[in-house]
Amino acid sequence: MTEGKSKKDIAESKVLKAKKAEFAEWYEQILPAAEIIDNRYDVKGLFAWMPYGYNIMLNIKSLWDNLFRDSGIKEMYFPLIVPLNYCEKNESWWKGFKEQAFWVAGKGEESKHILRPTGEPAMYPLFSLWIRAYSDLPLRIYETVFSYRYETKQTKPLIRDREIGPWYEIHTAHATKEEAINEIKEAERINDVIWQKLAIAPLKVEKPIWECFPGAVGAIEYYTLMPDGRVLENGSLNNLGQAYSKKFDIKFVDKNGKEDYVWQTCTGNGERYLGSLVSVHGDDKGLIIPPAIAPIQAIIVPIYYKDDKDKIIKTALQLKEKLSSVVKLDADLRDETPGSKFYDWEIKGVPLRIEIGPKDIEKKQVTIVRRDNGTKIAVPEAKMQKEIPKLLDDIQKNLLEKSKLLLESSIGTAKTKDDLENPKKDILKFFWCNSERCWMEIKGIKEGYELFGSDLKESKTEGKCIICGKPSRKMGYFANTY
Amino acid sequence: MTEGKSKKDIAESKVLKAKKAEFAEWYEQILPAAEIIDNRYDVKGLFAWMPYGYNIMLNIKSLWDNLFRDSGIKEMYFPLIVPLNYCEKNESWWKGFKEQAFWVAGKGEESKHILRPTGEPAMYPLFSLWIRAYSDLPLRIYETVFSYRYETKQTKPLIRDREIGPWYEIHTAHATKEEAINEIKEAERINDVIWQKLAIAPLKVEKPIWECFPGAVGAIEYYTLMPDGRVLENGSLNNLGQAYSKKFDIKFVDKNGKEDYVWQTCTGNGERYLGSLVSVHGDDKGLIIPPAIAPIQAIIVPIYYKDDKDKIIKTALQLKEKLSSVVKLDADLRDETPGSKFYDWEIKGVPLRIEIGPKDIEKKQVTIVRRDNGTKIAVPEAKMQKEIPKLLDDIQKNLLEKSKLLLESSIGTAKTKDDLENPKKDILKFFWCNSERCWMEIKGIKEGYELFGSDLKESKTEGKCIICGKPSRKMGYFANTY
């Protein structure tokens, strides 16, 4: 992982450089080309999910459904339409969302309701009815929904939409501050598993207190490095403290008969997992879907001439039957040239292509091509069932490793303000004093760039704040953010 | 099934009679009591889904997801927010929905969009982009969503809501009328499987053409008989013909190069499956969930005194471990009396209760109580793994059989208009001439009652229309409808 050459290889590779400059265009083209979405729908910031794209998204959703269930977090559903009296309970939440809300009403009526931009105002009034005593705690629930924001910024599918989703929100309530802290640790554990399945190495940072909801204890956020060198916020774990429970009057009686407000956390993410997956793994040929979440892990392409068509198609179907217990696969029997089939499945990012032609049959083998590195290997029929799962494992590992190396190779160190003004790497890491004043000063240094968070662990060695020079062990991250 | 006595037993049973008179009240109370929903949310016609209720609903959703996937129908998602220019394409659709729509806009803006009341106007403009030639057909897709109608009628959770869902809509497009007819047959097959898993016998009827969308070929609808004697529309299979394709300009070029409009079908249902499941199977003790969709199929209740508590809880946990491969089960280890635990799980309708007490341990057995008929049996530990799945099968069959018998015993025959005016059974069946004139006349006979459809097959014997006396083989159904 720390091997110098491969880091350099990745950082210098032409494909990635090309993607960096042309990423926005590449991204816009790849989503419809790979049949992830169709954005010809006639409302800004809204699009239709195509079957292939939705299947990938639902596979990601299955990941979180299973992880949450195993952790004992229960699924619920809260209404889309939120009355103003719920919204107004937390004025700082409402201040942030009222201008960006979709307002809804009956025909000709005055709007007194909005579409959910986030879950809190629909959920917490009910929490206050459900929670009475310590025995009602902890409350650990989630919902997977679409949320709605009347974005004023430029929209970008899966990254910034007016209809955001599918998206989960976990909301928990606890009797003590310590339990809430442990819940955040559990959320970290779960998110780390999800990222591993997505084969992406994100950057995990701590937000300073002034960037959290007023009254909250703290927040951890994930960021993914996108091919254009910018970082994308990708999931947040909020330790809300008693900030909301005081607004929504969520109280409980503890074992000693004393009344107190509950301690809450909320964490959420969704379609941005896919937005970063598309971006991080994709290359000039299209998508590369990690095997752990690919709807089709291998595609069989029969290669025939007129004479042997029937025989080869029959073999391809037998192959499909034989392999269906070890790999999610399909056979492409369309009346197209092999070349055009290769092209289609490469764009869609199917991890393995299994070619079966006259020579393969003769040699009792199949020819397998890896989507991640283009390697072509002949595998004897007798070994297929063992080899294919191994290849899929290897692709999964390779994608994750590549993503780790890319992230590491993209982080540089800044010593001076000048380093921040002229960044030599996509992400710069440096000491800072953890004061709001220096945070704000760093924000003003370079258009679009910001100090977006700090390392979760303090540095073993002490340094000096890049702005004020005060001694500190806090390391911050600086980049162009989405 | 046609055995006189059991039919009579059911029709005359006190419990059902009690439910009939008090059904509305029973229904209102059971949904929060069994933790299906919480309807204290501060917007009319909207409620929160509780974990237990949502789990049941998602199990029903899994049924349809699997059936659709196996049938090759692909899942997609279309935006919630629909622009007026899409809505106005089919003026008869728009006429039906514009007054009942939720209108949506940015703050202070004029509303030019509505929330989807049904899928067509969001979907079909894209269909017209995707479909060019016969090779693009058939198109067979579905979405599972919440839909929104600003209902003016009284709302009733899971039966008539302003936020309707989870709800699926299958939409298909075909090159020929015959293919569309076959698609409806496939939808029938799928729905029949779903009803079997719900252990409910619905009534399947054909709608006359004037009750369908203008230009459509026909429709089949499912109705369930509710305990109050009224019938509830519960899923519709619409053969749309070219009614919509002409409005939305969905054309294709056939094999001979000729252009034509596609033939479409759409079918949908969702939360009403659960509304009828709750109503049909429930009794004075609460719900009865059919094993095929129960989130918890069996609940272990340890019965102990102070001395043997640890030992019995240990045995209960071993039992849970042992049985987890054959049944979805949980152990109730709360600090409550056995009686209060029995009560809770009876309300929730868990099919089997497994009691384990000192005597059971002594005799190396468990005591199993069936929720459907209250039978209590001792099962030797060595036989549990075989017996429990058998019991679950038997409950599933028993519930379906009971529902069939109840439906059959609730259908009577009408010979004269007077029979319709004073119905002696919940549903009356009779000959009618299939004319709109007689249909309308029957509608006027009794407040709330209507001729809601005809048998799919013609009668083998000929009769005379109950209104005009014209000879006919068409049998109609008349009941108080929701």
Side-chain angles (χ1 to χ4, degrees), chain A residues 10 48 66 82 102 116 190 203 209 235 254 265 280 317 320 324 391 416 438 461 468:
Chain A
I10 288 168
N66 292 334
V82 189
F102 280 99
R116 81 167 81 78
I190 288 172
L203 195 62
I209 201 72
D254 73 12
T265 79
V280 170
L317 287 171
K320 184 181 164 186
S324 64
L391 282 168
T416 63
C438 289
T461 59
C468 70

Side-chain angles (χ1 to χ4, degrees), chain A residues 41 49 77 103 105 130 150 163, chain B residues 38 49 77 81 103 105-106 163:
Chain A
Y41 192 81
W49 282 89
Y77 177 84
W103 292 68
W130 299 334
Y150 203 165
E163 180 171 48
Chain B
D38 190 323
W49 282 89
Y77 177 82
I81 296 171
W103 291 68
E163 180 171 48

Side-chain angles (χ1 to χ4, degrees), chain B residues 406-455:
Chain B
L406 181 61
L407 179 65
E408 283 169 17
S409 70
S410 304
I411 301 175
T413 307
K415 300 270 182 205
T416 64
K417 230 176 123 171
D418 190 59
D419 293 342
L420 299 180
E421 273 163 36
N422 304 290
K424 299 239 161 30
K425 292 275 190 177
D426 291 333
I427 301 170
L428 293 177
K429 193 174 175 181
F430 50 86
F431 286 101
W432 73 297
C433 66
N434 208 20
S435 76
E436 190 169 0
R437 202 175 148 272
C438 289
W439 171 279
M440 291 311 295
E441 192 167 334
I442 293 168
K443 214 182 177 110
I445 287 176
K446 194 173 168 70
E447 174 84 36
Y449 284 67
E450 56 183 321
L451 168 51
F452 58 92
S454 302
D455 246 351

Side-chain angles (χ1 to χ4, degrees), chain A residues 177 180-181 184 215-220 237-241 263-266:
Chain A
K177 190 173 176 176
I181 291 169
I184 294 291
V217 171
I220 291 172
L237 319 179
N238 302 293
N239 188 336
L240 298 174
W263 297 83
Q264 290 180 275
T265 79
C266 79

Side-chain angles (χ1 to χ4, degrees), chain B residues 251-430:
Chain B
K251 281 185 286 199
F252 74 106
V253 177
D254 73 12
K255 283 183 184 173
N256 307 315
K258 210 186 127 240
E259 202 178 56
D260 195 7
Y261 292 99
V262 298
W263 298 83
Q264 290 179 274
T265 78
C266 78
T267 63
N269 204 6
E271 57 168 24
R272 278 191 175 184
Y273 285 133
L274 180 55
S276 59
L277 179 148
V278 163
S279 309
V280 170
H281 299 314
D283 65 18
D284 289 353
K285 288 182 174 177
L287 302 186
I288 303 177
I289 312 293
I293 59 143
I296 304 173
Q297 295 171 314
I299 184 75
I300 300 170
V301 179
I303 294 165
Y304 48 78
Y305 303 91
K306 273 200 173 160
D307 297 349
D308 48 12
K309 181 174 172 181
D310 290 352
K311 187 183 159 195
I312 288 180
I313 283 187
K314 201 181 147 195
T315 314
L317 287 172
Q318 285 167 346
L319 208 60
K320 184 182 164 185
E321 176 81 26
K322 214 172 186 173
L323 292 173
S324 65
S325 62
V326 297
V327 53
K328 289 193 273 181
L329 87 172
D330 209 347
D332 186 346
L333 304 180
R334 290 176 302 161
D335 241 344
E336 308 266 351
T337 64
S340 106
K341 290 180 185 178
F342 293 176
Y343 178 83
D344 284 356
W345 296 108
E346 276 170 356
I347 287 189
K348 288 205 165 95
V350 171
L352 292 177
R353 179 171 81 229
I354 304 176
E355 300 174 8
I356 177 93
K359 277 191 190 163
D360 296 305
I361 292 182
E362 208 177 283
K363 293 185 186 168
K364 295 198 172 177
Q365 65 172 32
V366 293
T367 302
I368 298 183
V369 184
R370 283 173 64 148
R371 176 64 184 86
D372 62 332
N373 60 16
T375 314
K376 201 167 188 163
I377 44 169
V379 178
E381 262 188 51
K383 288 193 176 172
M384 284 184 320
Q385 265 137 323
K386 273 203 168 175
E387 278 307 308
I388 289 172
K390 267 194 216 167
L391 282 168
L392 292 171
D393 270 2
D394 200 61
I395 293 172
Q396 182 78 26
K397 277 180 199 145
N398 180 44
L399 290 173
L400 180 56
E401 191 65 10
K402 251 175 106 172
S403 165
K404 272 184 191 162
L405 287 173
L406 181 61
L407 179 65
E408 283 169 17
S409 70
S410 304
I411 301 175
T413 307
K415 300 270 182 205
T416 64
K417 230 176 123 171
D418 190 59
D419 293 342
L420 299 180
E421 273 163 36
N422 304 290
K424 299 239 161 30
K425 292 275 190 177
D426 291 333
I427 301 170
L428 293 177
K429 193 174 175 181
F430 50 86

Side-chain angles (χ1 to χ4, degrees), chain A residues 248-259:
Chain A
F248 284 88
D249 201 34
I250 313 174
K251 283 186 288 200
F252 75 106
V253 177
D254 73 12
K255 282 182 187 176
N256 307 314
K258 211 186 126 239
E259 202 178 57

Side-chain angles (χ1 to χ4, degrees), chain A residues 38 40-43 46-52 54-55 58 61 74-83 85-86 98-99 101-109 111 113 115-116 121-123 126 129-130 141 144 146 148 150 162-163, chain B residues 38 40-43 46-52 54-55 58 61 74-83 85-86 98-99 101-109 111 113 115-116 121-123 126 129-130 141 144 146 148 150 162-163:
Chain A
D38 190 322
R40 288 174 290 176
Y41 192 81
D42 199 16
V43 182
L46 273 67
F47 56 82
W49 282 89
M50 299 300 284
Y52 185 67
Y54 206 47
N55 205 337
L58 293 179
K61 179 180 172 293
K74 300 223 159 121
E75 188 164 4
M76 300 189 66
Y77 177 84
F78 292 82
L80 167 69
I81 296 171
V82 189
N85 59 320
Y86 284 1
K98 74 176 151 191
E99 300 295 331
F102 280 99
W103 292 68
V104 66
K107 192 163 190 263
E109 285 180 4
S111 286
H113 298 84
L115 303 187
R116 81 167 81 78
M123 292 177 171
L126 291 173
L129 296 174
W130 299 334
I141 60 106
T144 296
F146 288 83
Y148 297 84
Y150 203 165
R162 290 186 166 183
E163 180 171 48
Chain B
D38 190 323
R40 289 174 290 176
Y41 192 81
D42 199 15
V43 183
L46 273 69
F47 56 82
W49 282 89
M50 299 301 284
Y52 185 67
Y54 206 47
N55 205 336
L58 292 179
K61 178 179 173 294
K74 302 223 159 118
E75 188 164 4
M76 300 189 67
Y77 177 82
F78 292 82
L80 167 69
I81 296 171
V82 189
N85 59 321
Y86 284 2
K98 75 175 149 191
E99 300 295 332
F102 280 98
W103 291 68
V104 67
K107 192 163 188 268
E109 285 180 3
S111 285
H113 299 84
L115 303 187
R116 80 167 81 80
M123 292 177 170
L126 292 173
L129 297 174
W130 298 335
I141 62 104
T144 296
F146 288 84
Y148 297 84
Y150 204 166
R162 289 187 167 182
E163 180 171 48

